[in-house]
């Protein structure tokens, strides 16, 4: 592990003009993105490497970050999987555009650590800031909503007006089509543990590495496919089912995945979606989407299953959501559908399904890395659906 970097002034500037002065944490320079906050107390490595955070500056609500350092096992993205020149294949590519924390740990305490968090931020060129009152930043984002922001340090520092100008000229998240920027370009296969029981075609809109791993534990071979894959191209795979992954950006821009999904539904192939995939299935069934005020990002969010009444504590990361009400049923081009899950905190749609059971999705993350495992049963539910379709 390298020595801790000397403190250098860094500034976080929000779109509304608020300015927070701290010290640099990670690489020096400038980064722009949408400021969001994550309420998870653990799992910062999984958060930073989640492709769904592409083009976002994450503000950590946990006061101390970095205690367990960085390791080569917990990354949720395939760094350099399609880039032979990459040098961090085993650590996970960091997808956040910036990181804001209050108190970075000065000492790494984990037998699994291969380096410090700041080392990895520097290695991957991620600009961050430390030593600011993140509680105040979070209150601002809750009151006014997620907004564009920038972190500046080193040669990127300038006067307040100039920094604010750079922030307000950055692109907004609404209307951003980002899935293609984080998706695999060539595709790859994750083999099952033991005998292959089923084959699933997974459309990679920003898939987390633990998702194919969870399928593998259930005897499923997963073909992870680029976001732009045509429906006709999956014929050679002969999938028993199709999976729609999580991912970044505005679902209103994802017309190709929606058309892909409509073809899957039209042919009656079993389908399962997570997060962005939930919004894609919803759009395919005729529902609209909207941008949330500040979204759901954390590993402690309660969700109600309206079929059973059970409540699961879930891991989430989304700033867009489907339109709908708890338990609502409606007609679609593929049969009767319903809103199956909603958030117990605010009523946000957290799941949608065809009533005949051949397609379902959830807004949260049942692969839960990091996070609770309350929703892991959904992988078993999908495998049961595949069994029923085969029979």
């Amino acid at each position: 592990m390298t020595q801790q970097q000397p403190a250098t002034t860094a500034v976080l500037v929000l779109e509304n003009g608020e300015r927070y002065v701290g010290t640099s944490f990670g690489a020096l320079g400038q980064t722009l993105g949408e400021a969001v906050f994550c309420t998870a107390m653990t799992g910062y490595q999984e958060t930073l490497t989640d492709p769904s955070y592409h083009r976002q500056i994450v503000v950590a609500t946990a006061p101390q970050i970095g205690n367990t350092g960085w390791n080569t096992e917990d990354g949720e993205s395939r760094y350099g999987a399609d880039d032979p020149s990459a040098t961090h294949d085993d650590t996970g590519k960091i997808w956040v555009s910036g990181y804001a924390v209050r108190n970075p740990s000065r000492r790494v305490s984990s037998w699994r650590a291969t380096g410090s968090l700041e080392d990895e931020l520097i290695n991957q060129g991620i600009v961050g800031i430390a030593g600011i009152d993140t509680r105040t930043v979070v209150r601002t984002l809750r009151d006014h909503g997620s907004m564009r922001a920038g972190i500046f340090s080193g040669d990127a520092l300038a006067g307040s007006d100039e920094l604010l100008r750079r922030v307000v000229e950055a692109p907004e998240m609404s209307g951003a089509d980002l899935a293609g920027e984080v998706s695999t370009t060539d595709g790859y296969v994750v083999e099952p543990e033991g005998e292959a029981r089923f084959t699933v075609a997974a459309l990679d809109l920003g898939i987390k590495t633990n998702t194919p791993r969870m399928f593998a534990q259930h005897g499923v071979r997963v073909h992870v496919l680029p976001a732009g894959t045509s429906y006709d191209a999956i014929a050679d795979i002969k999938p028993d089912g199709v999976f729609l992954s999580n991912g970044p950006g505005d679902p209103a821009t994802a017309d190709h995945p929606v058309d892909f999904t409509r073809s899957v539904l039209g042919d009656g192939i079993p389908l399962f979606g997570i997060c962005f995939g939930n919004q894609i299935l919803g759009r395919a069934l005729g529902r609209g989407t909207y941008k949330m005020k500040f979204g759901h990002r954390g590993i402690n969010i309660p969700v109600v299953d309206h079929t059973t009444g059970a409540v699961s504590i879930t891991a989430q990361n989304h700033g867009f959501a489907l339109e709908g009400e708890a338990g609502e049923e409606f007609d679609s081009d593929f049969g009767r559908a319903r809103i199956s899950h909603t958030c117990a905190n605010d009523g946000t749609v957290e799941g949608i399904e065809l009533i005949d059971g051949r397609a379902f999705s959830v807004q949260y993350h049942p692969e839960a890395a990091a996070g609770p495992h309350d929703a892991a049963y959904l992988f078993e539910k999908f495998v049961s659906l595949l069994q029923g379709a085969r029979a």
Side-chain angles (χ1 to χ4, degrees):
M1 301 177 191
T2 61
Q3 295 294 317
Q4 187 176 20
Q5 301 299 308
T8 302
T9 298
V11 180
L12 169 67
V13 178
L14 300 182
E15 182 180 352
N16 67 353
E18 290 189 18
R19 193 168 180 269
Y20 301 85
V21 179
T23 57
S24 63
F25 182 53
L28 297 178
Q30 167 181 303
T31 190
L32 301 168
E34 180 187 48
V36 300
F37 61 90
C38 177
T39 60
M41 295 293 289
T42 62
Y44 58 80
Q45 181 169 338
E46 291 90 339
T47 293
L48 294 173
T49 56
D50 181 349
S52 296
Y53 279 112
H54 178 41
R55 234 175 67 181
Q56 292 180 319
I57 294 173
V58 175
V59 181
T61 62
Q64 189 170 70
I65 295 292
N67 305 64
T68 55
W70 194 269
N71 64 61
T72 60
E73 302 171 36
D74 293 342
E76 281 300 312
S77 61
R78 289 164 53 92
Y79 188 101
D82 303 311
D83 179 6
S85 64
T87 58
H88 298 278
D89 302 69
D90 58 352
T91 64
K93 175 178 171 59
I94 296 176
W95 280 106
V96 304
S97 60
Y99 201 29
V101 304
R102 179 177 179 86
N103 179 22
S105 177
R106 291 177 292 177
R107 177 180 298 175
V108 173
S109 180
S110 172
W111 64 272
R112 299 171 67 236
T114 56
S116 73
L117 170 58
E118 184 165 29
D119 287 343
E120 196 62 30
L121 293 173
I122 293 170
N123 289 340
Q124 297 199 34
I126 306 301
V127 177
I129 185 172
I132 61 173
D133 188 347
T134 52
R135 294 171 301 177
T136 300
V137 180
V138 170
R139 288 194 186 102
T140 295
L141 297 179
R142 283 184 60 90
D143 290 343
H144 302 286
S146 299
M147 64 183 77
R148 289 171 292 184
I151 300 175
F152 309 91
S153 57
D155 294 340
L157 288 170
S160 298
D161 291 344
E162 168 61 18
L163 297 184
L164 182 58
R165 181 192 67 78
R166 298 178 198 173
V167 169
V168 298
E169 290 181 355
E172 295 186 86
M173 191 58 70
S174 293
D177 186 2
L178 302 180
E181 297 181 13
V182 302
S183 178
T184 180
T185 57
D186 298 326
Y188 55 94
V189 178
V190 178
E191 294 292 343
E193 298 178 6
E195 181 182 358
R197 301 167 58 199
F198 302 101
T199 297
V200 165
L203 199 63
D204 178 9
L205 307 170
I207 197 168
K208 295 171 69 176
T209 58
N210 200 43
T211 303
R213 189 182 301 130
M214 293 285 282
F215 277 123
Q217 291 172 2
H218 289 82
V220 177
R221 174 181 290 116
V222 183
H223 289 258
V224 182
L225 306 173
T229 300
S230 69
Y231 177 67
D232 292 340
I234 71 172
D236 291 340
I237 300 173
K238 298 180 180 178
D240 298 292
V242 169
F243 173 74
L244 304 174
S245 82
N246 61 291
D250 186 343
T253 68
D255 292 337
H256 171 74
V258 170
D259 291 341
F260 179 97
T261 301
R262 289 180 62 84
S263 296
V264 172
L265 297 176
D267 279 352
I269 300 175
L271 183 140
F272 175 30
I274 287 175
C275 198
F276 199 73
N278 180 64
Q279 297 157 10
I280 299 305
L281 176 58
R283 281 195 56 197
L285 295 177
R287 309 301 290 191
T289 60
Y290 65 95
K291 192 175 191 303
M292 302 170 71
K293 184 176 181 180
F294 49 79
H296 294 163
R297 297 174 182 88
I299 59 175
N300 51 3
I301 300 171
V303 168
V304 181
D305 181 337
H306 293 290
T307 300
T308 65
V311 175
S312 296
I313 302 302
T314 68
Q316 298 197 17
N317 173 16
H318 64 107
F320 292 86
L322 286 174
E323 296 174 345
E325 302 293 333
E328 176 187 356
E329 294 190 6
F330 58 95
D331 291 319
S332 78
D333 292 340
F334 308 98
R336 194 79 171 157
R338 66 183 162 210
I339 304 301
S340 57
H341 299 71
T342 56
C343 179
N345 290 339
D346 58 15
T348 299
V349 172
E350 298 285 355
I352 195 168
E353 64 184 0
L354 286 175
I355 290 179
D356 66 14
R358 59 193 167 92
F360 68 96
S361 60
V362 292
Q363 187 61 62
Y364 47 96
H365 287 260
E367 86 289 342
H373 298 156
D374 293 22
Y377 73 91
L378 290 170
F379 287 93
E380 298 172 4
K381 176 180 176 179
F382 188 50
V383 169
S384 296
L385 177 57
L386 300 180
Q387 290 173 327
R390 177 176 290 180

